[in-house]
Amino acid sequence: LVKLLEVESREGEPTGRFYAEHLIYSLTARLLTHGRKLRPVKPATWCLPSPQLKRVIDKMKSNLCKSHDLQTLAQESGYSRNHFLRLFRDAMQCTPHRYLVRLRIEKAQSLMTNRSLRLIDIATECGFSSQAQFSKMFRQVLGITPNDYRHTLS
Protein backbone atom coordinates (compact mmCIF):
# COMPACT_ATOMS: atom_id res chain seq x y z
CA LEU A 1 0.00 0.00 0.00
CA VAL A 2 2.85 2.36 0.81
CA LYS A 3 4.49 1.68 -2.57
CA LEU A 4 1.23 2.35 -4.41
CA LEU A 5 0.79 5.59 -2.46
CA GLU A 6 4.36 6.65 -3.31
CA VAL A 7 3.84 5.99 -7.04
CA GLU A 8 0.55 7.90 -7.00
CA SER A 9 2.09 10.92 -5.30
CA ARG A 10 4.99 10.99 -7.84
CA GLU A 11 2.85 10.65 -10.96
CA GLY A 12 0.01 12.83 -9.68
CA GLU A 13 -2.72 12.02 -12.19
CA PRO A 14 -5.97 14.06 -11.97
CA THR A 15 -8.06 11.14 -10.71
CA GLY A 16 -5.25 10.12 -8.39
CA ARG A 17 -6.46 12.27 -5.51
CA PHE A 18 -9.40 9.92 -4.78
CA TYR A 19 -7.22 6.90 -5.33
CA ALA A 20 -4.60 8.29 -2.94
CA GLU A 21 -7.26 9.02 -0.31
CA HIS A 22 -8.49 5.42 -0.51
CA LEU A 23 -4.93 4.13 -0.24
CA ILE A 24 -4.35 6.29 2.84
CA TYR A 25 -7.60 5.04 4.37
CA SER A 26 -6.66 1.39 3.63
CA LEU A 27 -3.17 1.88 5.03
CA THR A 28 -4.52 3.50 8.20
CA ALA A 29 -7.08 0.73 8.72
CA ARG A 30 -4.39 -1.91 8.18
CA LEU A 31 -2.00 -0.26 10.64
CA LEU A 32 -4.70 0.09 13.29
CA THR A 33 -5.67 -3.58 13.07
CA HIS A 34 -2.18 -5.00 12.50
CA GLY A 35 -1.39 -7.75 14.97
CA ARG A 36 -4.91 -7.93 16.34
CA LYS A 37 -7.00 -10.99 15.80
CA LEU A 38 -10.44 -9.81 14.87
CA ARG A 39 -13.23 -12.10 15.95
CA PRO A 40 -15.96 -12.61 13.39
CA VAL A 41 -19.18 -10.95 14.39
CA LYS A 42 -21.95 -13.46 14.95
CA PRO A 43 -25.44 -12.34 14.08
CA ALA A 44 -27.76 -12.24 17.06
CA THR A 45 -30.13 -15.15 17.23
CA TRP A 46 -33.37 -14.98 19.12
CA CYS A 47 -35.00 -18.07 20.46
CA LEU A 48 -38.15 -18.84 22.29
CA PRO A 49 -37.31 -18.96 26.03
CA SER A 50 -37.17 -22.52 27.38
CA PRO A 51 -40.29 -22.40 29.59
CA GLN A 52 -42.46 -21.08 26.76
CA LEU A 53 -40.94 -23.53 24.27
CA LYS A 54 -41.57 -26.44 26.65
CA ARG A 55 -45.16 -25.31 27.19
CA VAL A 56 -45.81 -25.14 23.43
CA ILE A 57 -44.21 -28.55 22.77
CA ASP A 58 -46.14 -30.11 25.67
CA LYS A 59 -49.36 -28.72 24.21
CA MET A 60 -48.50 -30.32 20.85
CA LYS A 61 -47.60 -33.65 22.46
CA SER A 62 -50.72 -33.72 24.63
CA ASN A 63 -52.96 -34.09 21.60
CA LEU A 64 -51.23 -35.08 18.37
CA CYS A 65 -54.59 -35.63 16.65
CA LYS A 66 -55.57 -32.02 17.10
CA SER A 67 -54.72 -29.52 14.39
CA HIS A 68 -52.78 -26.98 16.43
CA ASP A 69 -53.18 -23.65 14.68
CA LEU A 70 -50.44 -21.07 14.85
CA GLN A 71 -52.55 -18.53 16.75
CA THR A 72 -53.29 -20.97 19.59
CA LEU A 73 -49.64 -21.96 19.91
CA ALA A 74 -48.61 -18.31 19.86
CA GLN A 75 -51.07 -17.55 22.67
CA GLU A 76 -49.61 -20.44 24.65
CA SER A 77 -46.17 -18.83 24.33
CA GLY A 78 -47.37 -15.31 25.09
CA TYR A 79 -46.05 -13.83 21.84
CA SER A 80 -47.75 -12.50 18.73
CA ARG A 81 -48.33 -15.00 15.92
CA ASN A 82 -45.53 -13.73 13.66
CA HIS A 83 -43.03 -13.22 16.46
CA PHE A 84 -43.77 -16.69 17.85
CA LEU A 85 -43.23 -18.24 14.41
CA ARG A 86 -39.84 -16.52 14.07
CA LEU A 87 -38.75 -17.52 17.58
CA PHE A 88 -39.92 -21.12 17.22
CA ARG A 89 -38.16 -21.47 13.87
CA ASP A 90 -34.91 -20.15 15.36
CA ALA A 91 -35.15 -22.48 18.35
CA MET A 92 -36.18 -25.68 16.54
CA GLN A 93 -34.84 -25.10 12.99
CA CYS A 94 -38.30 -25.85 11.58
CA THR A 95 -41.82 -24.49 11.62
CA PRO A 96 -44.34 -25.57 14.29
CA HIS A 97 -46.24 -27.56 11.66
CA ARG A 98 -43.11 -29.45 10.57
CA TYR A 99 -42.30 -30.14 14.22
CA LEU A 100 -45.82 -31.46 14.83
CA VAL A 101 -45.44 -33.78 11.83
CA ARG A 102 -42.17 -35.07 13.29
CA LEU A 103 -43.86 -35.74 16.63
CA ARG A 104 -46.62 -37.66 14.86
CA ILE A 105 -44.09 -39.71 12.89
CA GLU A 106 -42.18 -40.54 16.10
CA LYS A 107 -45.39 -41.78 17.70
CA ALA A 108 -46.18 -43.79 14.57
CA GLN A 109 -42.75 -45.41 14.70
CA SER A 110 -43.34 -46.56 18.26
CA LEU A 111 -46.81 -47.91 17.36
CA MET A 112 -45.45 -49.83 14.38
CA THR A 113 -43.66 -52.26 16.65
CA ASN A 114 -47.10 -53.70 17.41
CA ARG A 115 -47.72 -55.77 14.27
CA SER A 116 -51.40 -56.28 15.06
CA LEU A 117 -52.10 -52.59 14.38
CA ARG A 118 -52.97 -51.74 10.79
CA LEU A 119 -51.30 -48.75 9.15
CA ILE A 120 -54.64 -46.98 8.76
CA ASP A 121 -55.23 -47.32 12.52
CA ILE A 122 -51.75 -45.97 13.26
CA ALA A 123 -52.33 -43.07 10.87
CA THR A 124 -55.60 -42.18 12.61
CA GLU A 125 -54.09 -42.58 16.08
CA CYS A 126 -51.27 -40.19 15.16
CA GLY A 127 -53.50 -37.46 13.77
CA PHE A 128 -53.16 -38.00 10.03
CA SER A 129 -56.31 -37.52 7.98
CA SER A 130 -55.70 -40.58 5.80
CA GLN A 131 -53.28 -43.41 5.24
CA ALA A 132 -52.15 -41.71 2.03
CA GLN A 133 -51.24 -38.53 3.90
CA PHE A 134 -49.51 -40.60 6.59
CA SER A 135 -47.47 -42.51 4.00
CA LYS A 136 -46.53 -39.33 2.17
CA MET A 137 -45.38 -37.52 5.31
CA PHE A 138 -43.63 -40.61 6.70
CA ARG A 139 -41.64 -40.95 3.50
CA GLN A 140 -40.89 -37.22 3.43
CA VAL A 141 -39.49 -37.26 6.96
CA LEU A 142 -37.73 -40.64 7.05
CA GLY A 143 -37.11 -41.36 3.38
CA ILE A 144 -38.85 -44.74 3.55
CA THR A 145 -42.47 -45.86 3.34
CA PRO A 146 -44.25 -46.99 6.52
CA ASN A 147 -44.62 -50.50 5.11
CA ASP A 148 -40.90 -50.76 4.31
CA TYR A 149 -40.06 -49.31 7.73
CA ARG A 150 -42.20 -51.95 9.41
CA HIS A 151 -40.35 -54.71 7.51
CA THR A 152 -37.02 -53.40 8.83
CA LEU A 153 -38.26 -53.91 12.41
CA SER A 154 -38.34 -57.66 12.14
Side-chain angles (χ1 to χ4, degrees), residues 25-38:
Y25 174 78
S26 297
L27 182 61
T28 304
R30 178 71 179 128
L31 288 173
L32 288 174
T33 59
H34 182 69
R36 274 199 261 161
K37 288 187 177 181
L38 298 177

Side-chain angles (χ1 to χ4, degrees), residues 45-112:
T45 55
W46 301 96
C47 292
L48 199 57
S50 293
Q52 284 92 334
L53 182 62
K54 183 177 178 345
R55 210 167 43 234
V56 168
I57 290 173
D58 287 345
K59 184 168 185 76
M60 289 176 159
K61 285 181 178 179
S62 70
N63 192 352
L64 293 177
C65 293
K66 184 178 178 190
S67 177
H68 298 278
D69 67 293
L70 204 50
Q71 188 61 43
T72 306
L73 294 175
Q75 286 173 348
E76 189 70 32
S77 72
Y79 291 99
S80 72
R81 184 181 169 278
N82 290 336
H83 195 57
F84 163 73
L85 181 59
R86 236 185 339 269
L87 293 174
F88 189 93
R89 212 179 304 145
D90 286 345
M92 304 305 290
Q93 281 72 51
C94 66
T95 64
H97 178 263
R98 177 58 62 190
Y99 189 77
L100 180 61
V101 168
R102 287 183 190 162
L103 289 174
R104 288 174 175 172
I105 297 296
E106 286 174 11
K107 182 175 181 181
Q109 286 178 285
S110 66
L111 292 174
M112 289 173 124

